[in-house]
Amino acid sequence: MADQTLKQTLTDAMKAAMRAKDKATLNAVRLILAEIKRIEVDERIDIDDVRVLAVLDKMCKQRRDSISQYENAGREDLAEQERFEMGVIQSYMPTPLSDEELEGLIKEAIISSGAEAVKDMGKVVAVLKPQVQGRADMGAVSQKIKALLA
């Protein structure tokens, strides 16, 4: 099973949720697969695991934004639905990096990219993004890079 792609894993999860008659999980997995399919059709490509992780990351970010908006509007029912979907999405993502692991990766990326100042931040992000995609919030990563380069 180690050679199974994330997309195949999601398809299997959809079938399992159908068999288990787990409507909530089924709907969440279908949302993920629909977004993957939309990208594949729009760009006429077959997306790999790295791109699937980027999709999952983006979907989690959208859920976080929606949760805060629903909570501010007093719609706890909708916020709860978003939290559930986010939990399902996160279950297909790799384990998040600890602060120590992240800082180590950032320092390695700064050295390997030859970055010396904040203006070189793009080089560091280019090296780092494939390694941390889906495992760390890129906004927080950018702030840490800035702090280390300043």
Side-chain angles (χ1 to χ4, degrees):
M1 276 263 263
D3 57 351
Q4 187 174 23
T5 66
L6 206 44
K7 201 165 93 176
Q8 290 169 319
T9 304
L10 285 160
T11 304
D12 293 347
M14 180 181 69
K15 291 173 186 171
M18 282 175 163
R19 282 192 288 273
K21 295 187 178 15
D22 181 353
K23 263 191 155 166
T25 303
L26 177 62
N27 289 338
V29 174
R30 278 186 172 154
L31 282 171
I32 299 168
L33 287 169
E35 183 61 17
I36 291 170
K37 191 70 169 167
R38 185 193 63 75
I39 291 168
E40 288 182 333
V41 169
D42 287 356
E43 299 179 20
R44 293 184 176 85
I45 57 169
D46 232 357
I47 67 176
D48 59 358
D49 279 359
V50 174
R51 186 72 188 270
V52 172
L53 282 176
V55 169
L56 294 175
D57 212 21
K58 183 178 176 191
M59 290 179 82
C60 274
K61 187 177 186 305
Q62 291 168 335
R63 298 296 172 292
R64 276 191 289 275
D65 294 345
S66 297
I67 289 167
S68 67
Q69 288 176 4
Y70 286 142
E71 286 174 343
N72 292 341
R75 293 297 308 267
E76 194 51 45
D77 55 329
L78 294 174
E80 196 52 48
Q81 172 68 31
E82 295 289 319
R83 274 190 214 95
F84 177 79
E85 286 176 8
M86 194 163 96
V88 172
I89 294 166
Q90 286 174 330
S91 72
Y92 296 101
M93 296 173 75
T95 314
L97 291 165
S98 70
D99 286 342
E100 295 79 33
E101 290 172 312
L102 185 58
E103 195 154 323
L105 286 173
I106 291 172
K107 286 176 180 173
E108 283 176 30
I110 288 172
I111 293 166
S112 70
S113 67
E116 295 169 5
V118 177
K119 68 177 173 61
D120 300 324
M121 203 170 134
K123 294 178 191 172
V124 180
V125 171
V127 171
L128 206 55
K129 195 168 187 172
Q131 298 171 0
V132 301
Q133 187 71 59
R135 297 181 69 195
D137 175 35
M138 285 309 290
V141 170
S142 294
Q143 289 175 341
K144 286 183 187 215
I145 294 170
K146 245 183 220 162
L148 287 169
L149 287 175

